[in-house]
Amino acid sequence: MSFVEYGETIKDGDTAIVFLGHESMFPVKVQHGSVTQTKYGVIRHSTDLIGKKYGSKVTCSKGGWVFILHPTPELWTMNLPHRTQILYSTDISIITMMLELKPGSIVCESGTGSGSLSHALIRTVAPTGHLYTVEFHQQRAEKAREEFREHGVEHLVTVTNQDVCKNGFGVSNIADAVFLDIPSPWEAIGHAKSALKAEGGRICSFSPCIEQVQRTCLAMEESGFTEINTLEILLRVYNVRTVSLQIPDLGKAAEDNSSTGFDSSSPSHQGSSCANLQQGTVQFKSGVPLREVVGHTGYLTFATKS
């Protein structure tokens, strides 16, 4: 199993996604002899998972069933263990596009965090590209190495435990793109410029506060970066549901007005007209935004090395 190469069957040691529903899923490490508890009962790895095809419908001990899905960066983002705040697919998609990433690209990232963006970057640059990711926190760096090894992508990524603001990325003049997700990105702009290739490399900085964006833009301008621009990506989800609305009989109301000669602006006449409009109902599909929406995650600042 690999996050960048699809495997047909579930094997011992794989990371799989147990899908109970769109709002209920979780990752599991498949191990011979292990069991996983769900609300539908027990899943026995040896008999229920190993050797089965990904996408299979598995019946649990209580008679309920789940689907076992092959892991992808998108599913991992939704189910990974949070060591830090993470980036979600809305921001990740615009980052990979604006950084102009493709198979074979060399990317530098700081910090690694929970590895949400890292998995998406690895999938994008595979099979010949490489990700150099820097994490300040030692335990998080070690956990990231372990996950990359378990997910079969360790040959596509190098994890370094150091302070990028002081020590940089450990590479020079080879990166096609640099991504920064650190508290003070303006302190790492010089190191990012050194890591980027001679000309045309792209940089992106993620910051939750506009004050951080202002200082980062000033540092980019001082370092000679061009095409500096900042985006804020907002996701608005709609619920599609069936609603019923009354159908007014506009023709009959117009006919009544012409025959009686009443003034339509009269309050008493408005009441009689409204009664005539209540003729029936019709059902149709309508999109309604959610009452509670995550309005802001952060600002994405992009620039090009001149």
Side-chain angles (χ1 to χ4, degrees):
M1 183 278 303
S2 171
F3 272 56
V4 297
E5 297 176 357
Y6 184 78
E8 287 287 341
T9 58
I10 306 170
K11 299 181 178 61
D12 188 14
D14 282 3
T15 298
I17 305 297
V18 180
F19 181 88
L20 292 82
H22 289 290
E23 303 298 328
S24 179
M25 61 184 96
F26 59 89
V28 61
K29 184 175 181 179
V30 179
Q31 293 179 312
H32 186 77
S34 296
V35 297
T36 297
Q37 296 283 350
T38 74
K39 63 181 180 180
Y40 300 127
V42 173
I43 301 174
R44 295 174 175 80
H45 294 198
S46 300
T47 57
D48 298 333
L49 298 184
I50 297 177
K52 299 289 182 64
K53 286 189 175 183
Y54 278 106
S56 296
K57 183 178 179 180
V58 174
T59 302
C60 305
S61 60
K62 293 182 181 179
W65 48 265
V66 298
F67 288 105
I68 308 300
L69 306 180
H70 193 284
T72 65
E74 291 79 12
L75 288 175
W76 185 246
T77 291
M78 297 171 63
N79 297 283
L80 59 79
H82 285 232
R83 300 183 287 273
T84 60
Q85 181 60 269
I86 69 170
L87 290 176
Y88 290 92
S89 297
T90 307
D91 288 315
I92 291 173
S93 60
I94 199 72
I95 289 170
T96 55
M97 184 190 75
M98 293 293 288
L99 289 182
E100 301 173 2
L101 301 182
K102 59 185 181 301
S105 295
I106 306 297
V107 187
C108 293
E109 175 197 25
S110 182
T112 312
S114 301
S116 173
L117 176 65
S118 303
H119 283 79
L121 294 177
I122 291 170
R123 196 262 308 274
T124 302
V125 304
T128 56
H130 200 84
L131 172 66
Y132 294 89
T133 183
V134 178
E135 173 56 51
F136 175 79
H137 194 274
Q138 182 179 357
Q139 285 73 26
R140 288 201 292 262
E142 292 173 354
K143 185 61 179 178
R145 289 193 190 98
E146 179 184 343
E147 285 181 350
F148 293 142
R149 183 169 56 254
E150 291 178 352
H151 298 166
V153 296
E154 71 276 7
H155 62 292
L156 296 170
V157 57
T158 299
V159 182
T160 305
N161 173 219
Q162 64 187 27
D163 186 351
V164 70
C165 296
K166 295 181 179 179
N167 307 113
F169 294 93
V171 296
S172 299
N173 302 318
I174 65 169
D176 297 288
V178 170
F179 176 80
L180 299 175
D181 183 6
I182 54 178
S184 53
W186 55 88
E187 296 181 1
I189 296 299
H191 293 296
K193 184 177 181 181
S194 299
L196 287 168
K197 59 187 181 181
E199 186 176 358
R202 294 279 287 165
I203 183 174
C204 174
S205 174
F206 176 90
S207 296
C209 302
I210 195 63
E211 292 80 7
Q212 294 169 305
V213 174
Q214 292 171 331
R215 295 190 64 176
T216 303
C217 289
L218 288 174
M220 288 179 174
E221 189 174 6
E222 291 172 358
S223 295
F225 283 90
T226 60
E227 300 178 341
I228 302 172
N229 64 89
T230 300
L231 307 177
E232 182 183 17
I233 311 302
L234 301 178
L235 177 65
R236 191 174 187 185
V237 179
Y238 281 78
N239 275 336
V240 178
R241 64 186 187 186
T242 302
V243 298
S244 298
L245 290 181
Q246 293 177 333
I247 306 174
D249 189 347
L250 299 178
K252 191 174 188 303
E255 183 179 329
D256 290 343
N257 288 342
S258 61
S259 61
T260 60
F262 288 155
D263 183 4
S264 61
S265 62
S266 170
S268 59
H269 184 68
Q270 286 180 348
S272 62
S273 296
C274 289
N276 290 331
L277 298 181
Q278 315 292 333
Q279 298 298 324
T281 61
V282 63
Q283 292 185 334
F284 64 95
K285 297 291 184 181
S286 176
V288 181
L290 301 180
R291 292 185 177 181
E292 297 182 3
V293 180
V294 178
H296 172 76
T297 56
Y299 300 100
L300 295 170
T301 301
F302 297 91
T304 304
K305 183 176 178 180
S306 176

